[in-house]
Amino acid sequence: ETETPKKDNSTNKAEAAPSKKKRDPNAPKKPKSAWSMYQTAKRNEFKAANPDTKAGDITKLMSAEFKKLDANDKVVWEEQAKEDKSRYKNEMAAYKPPEQTNSVGKDDETAAVNEPATKKEKSSILKALAACPPKSKGGKSTKVQISSTKKAASITTPKATSK
């Protein structure tokens, strides 16, 4: 009897979606907003005044107090936010990001070949392989494996093990 390859319904998230661009640890930190400045400065006061309150509830209390502040009191926090924004602009002007390299570490021509196959391409490869199941000799199971390169599939037969 020949065994047909089983369809793998699990999805590999690393292959399914492109990964998020990694942040350069040497890049300047983004500027804080007036609310963030207020929250950073006042959090310990609110924690001390409400020791048994959960963190989410403390944030709600701080938010309500920040909204109650009149324009003159908010100016202090808005000025700090403006200063932080100008700091960020100055640091970004001086910042030089590292050169972009592809994940493979080879030139662009080779990188295009080594990009992961799309879900649709993998599906069509699996369908084609399932349509003509590979032969099995001597009871060896045949395993279908899709490589992570574009439009590439291979059929591998595990080596016979002595019993």
Side-chain angles (χ1 to χ4, degrees):
E1 290 181 26
T2 60
E3 293 181 16
T4 57
K6 293 182 180 179
K7 186 175 180 182
D8 185 15
N9 289 333
S10 65
T11 57
N12 186 349
K13 289 185 180 183
E15 292 176 3
S19 61
K20 201 175 186 181
K21 184 179 176 184
K22 291 186 180 179
R23 186 185 182 283
D24 178 15
N26 298 323
K29 290 191 177 186
K30 295 206 178 216
K32 289 185 173 184
S33 64
W35 156 249
S36 184
M37 293 284 187
Y38 175 81
Q39 185 180 19
T40 303
K42 299 289 184 173
R43 180 165 289 279
N44 290 334
E45 290 177 29
F46 278 88
K47 277 186 180 180
N50 305 292
D52 297 331
T53 309
K54 294 179 183 178
D57 293 332
I58 288 176
T59 303
K60 287 178 186 176
L61 290 171
M62 291 172 52
S63 176
E65 287 297 316
F66 185 73
K67 288 177 183 175
K68 287 180 188 176
L69 290 177
D70 62 354
N72 293 334
D73 292 335
K74 277 190 183 181
V75 168
V76 174
W77 307 110
E78 290 168 355
E79 286 298 320
Q80 287 183 13
K82 282 181 184 177
E83 288 173 15
D84 197 38
K85 190 173 183 178
S86 65
R87 176 222 29 107
Y88 177 73
K89 284 183 180 180
N90 292 337
E91 288 180 8
M92 282 303 289
Y95 172 69
K96 301 216 182 215
E99 289 185 25
Q100 294 289 331
T101 60
N102 56 37
S103 60
V104 179
K106 298 182 180 179
D107 60 5
D108 292 336
E109 194 174 301
T110 309
V113 175
N114 291 327
E115 290 175 3
T118 64
K119 197 172 185 179
K120 187 175 181 179
E121 289 169 341
K122 287 180 185 179
S123 176
S124 63
I125 292 168
L126 279 174
K127 286 178 185 175
L129 289 172
C132 52
K135 295 179 183 177
S136 177
K137 295 181 182 178
K140 293 180 192 174
S141 63
T142 304
K143 180 181 173 186
V144 175
Q145 178 182 3
I146 297 178
S147 69
S148 63
T149 59
K150 222 175 204 179
K151 299 180 185 177
S154 62
I155 300 173
T156 57
T157 306
K159 293 182 180 177
T161 57
S162 54
K163 292 183 180 179

